[in-house]
Amino acid sequence: MKSIEEIKPIVESLIFAAEEPISLRKLTDLIEGVDSAQIQEAITQLKSDYEMQGRSFQIEEIAGGYQLFTKPEYYEWIAKLRKKTGETKLSQAALETLAIIAYKQPILRANLESIRGVQSGQIIRLLMEKDLVKVVGRDESLGHPLLYGTTKKFLEYFGLKDIKDLPQVEELEAP
């Protein structure tokens, strides 16, 4: 039986090395002889350690798993780095399309275009290439058109645990 002090560096290294959020189940599977309660305790202690040490990063629960994130107050520095490395931002039209899909999913392209008032096929393809949107099924109507929804990467990109964590419309309205 491993102590929490033995588990912490293992959990930390796995979360650090994971390319996407790593689930509690995956951590439990990887660390033999340790249960989920011990791993959760290790994560809680790591979070506390980072806070006490004034670290620039933190562990967040996101998209069904855990991931390391830089604290928001360091955003401007990270933005400078990303600008230098050429990371592309989403256009206003892409963000608008993505927001409609996120809030109305599963949604037909025709319904999306009805809301936006413009053709959206190219933007949907772009969002699918970026793995933010996917086909989630087919409608039962004539021709069985595709239904679109968001992906796990969408949750990661926007720092959400679940689609239910999207802000409610009331929260978005201007005062």
Side-chain angles (χ1 to χ4, degrees), residues 26-159:
K26 180 83 169 171
L27 289 167
T28 306
D29 290 346
L30 291 169
I31 308 170
E32 295 174 11
V34 175
D35 64 27
S36 60
Q38 291 172 295
I39 291 173
Q40 283 181 313
E41 177 59 28
I43 291 169
T44 300
Q45 285 189 22
L46 284 167
K47 286 179 175 186
S48 176
D49 292 349
Y50 297 162
E51 196 59 41
M52 285 178 15
Q53 296 164 4
R55 297 296 196 163
S56 62
F57 54 88
Q58 58 198 12
I59 296 174
E60 291 290 331
E61 189 174 354
I62 179 172
Y66 295 95
Q67 193 166 20
L68 277 173
F69 284 97
T70 307
K71 288 184 174 178
E73 55 263 37
Y74 299 102
Y75 170 78
E76 71 178 274
W77 302 104
I78 302 303
K80 284 181 182 182
L81 172 67
R82 289 193 173 152
K83 196 173 204 175
K84 295 253 190 252
T85 59
E87 182 178 286
T88 56
K89 292 188 347 183
L90 294 174
S91 69
Q92 190 64 38
L95 282 172
E96 182 180 292
T97 302
L98 189 56
I100 293 167
I101 292 171
Y103 280 97
K104 300 284 189 178
Q105 65 184 307
I107 187 170
L108 295 170
R109 179 174 151 190
N111 293 352
L112 171 69
E113 290 173 346
S114 167
I115 294 168
R116 288 196 67 228
V118 294
Q119 293 282 321
S120 301
Q122 199 164 357
I123 292 175
I124 291 172
R125 274 191 295 284
L126 169 84
L127 293 170
M128 289 178 77
E129 285 172 15
K130 292 187 177 291
D131 195 29
L132 297 171
V133 169
K134 66 180 178 181
V135 173
V136 294
R138 290 191 171 271
D139 193 60
E140 294 300 315
S141 63
L142 184 63
H144 300 287
L146 299 173
L147 290 165
Y148 296 96
T150 56
T151 64
K152 185 175 177 183
K153 186 171 179 183
F154 166 84
L155 296 174
E156 293 171 24
Y157 189 88
F158 289 99

Side-chain angles (χ1 to χ4, degrees), residues 2 6-7 10-36 39 66:
K2 290 180 174 33
E6 292 173 300
I7 297 168
I10 298 168
V11 169
E12 181 179 46
S13 65
L14 290 169
I15 293 172
F16 176 78
E19 292 180 17
E20 55 187 31
I22 186 166
S23 69
L24 185 60
R25 179 193 271 299
K26 180 83 169 171
L27 289 167
T28 306
D29 290 346
L30 291 169
I31 308 170
E32 295 174 11
V34 175
D35 64 27
S36 60
I39 291 173
Y66 295 95

Side-chain angles (χ1 to χ4, degrees), residues 103 167-175:
Y103 280 97
Q168 297 302 307
V169 176
E170 306 80 49
E171 297 173 45
L172 298 174
E173 292 175 353

